[in-house]
Amino acid sequence: MTVTSRLVVDRPAGSRHPRTPQAVYPVDYGYLEGTVAADGDGVDVFRGSAVGAGVVGFFVTVDPGKRDVEVKVLIDCTADEIDRVRRLLDDVLGIGGLLVRRYVETATA
C-alpha cells in the first residue's frame, strides 16, 4: 500500500522567515498536508532542485526557545542544498539539528 501526502509550500526558496527576517530559505519549505508532527502542525519538508531524488534524509532539530524537537524531511535536495539548509538551521535560526542521510546503494564497476 502506498500512502502519499501533498506537499504544501508556504515558504518558497528565497523567502524570509516570518519571525527572523535575516533567515532566507535556500530551498522550498512547507509541510505534508494531512500529517501531524510533534508541534501539532504538519510534518516539515525542505524540497530542493534534484527532481526525482525523493527523500534524501532528514534533520532532527531541537529548538530550545520553543522547547520542542522536530523531524524535517529533505526531499529532492542536492548535497549543497542540504548544507545550506543545515547552515540555516544551525547558524541563522539557532535550532541545530542532527542530519540523517538516506542510505543509497550504488553500483560499482
Side-chain angles (χ1 to χ4, degrees):
M1 179 170 121
T2 300
V3 178
T4 61
S5 292
R6 184 174 77 87
L7 173 60
V8 177
V9 175
D10 53 6
R11 298 177 196 163
S15 64
R16 296 186 180 278
H17 189 281
R19 291 180 307 280
T20 311
Q22 69 271 25
V24 177
Y25 287 87
V27 296
D28 290 341
Y29 179 75
Y31 62 92
L32 295 175
E33 189 174 66
T35 62
V36 179
D39 63 0
D41 293 330
V43 173
D44 295 333
V45 174
F46 286 98
R47 180 181 63 193
S49 63
V51 177
V55 175
V56 296
F58 57 91
F59 279 100
V60 178
T61 63
V62 177
D63 186 340
K66 289 175 27 183
R67 298 181 64 172
D68 76 352
V69 174
E70 289 187 287
V71 172
K72 298 182 183 297
V73 182
L74 299 164
I75 296 177
D76 294 344
C77 291
T78 65
D80 178 63
E81 289 168 337
I82 292 170
D83 189 53
R84 289 188 291 152
V85 168
R86 182 203 52 76
R87 286 194 310 264
L88 170 72
L89 296 172
D90 290 351
D91 301 340
V92 181
L93 295 174
I95 59 172
L98 170 68
L99 170 62
V100 179
R101 291 183 187 264
R102 186 181 116 215
Y103 173 75
V104 179
E105 190 171 323
T106 57
T108 57

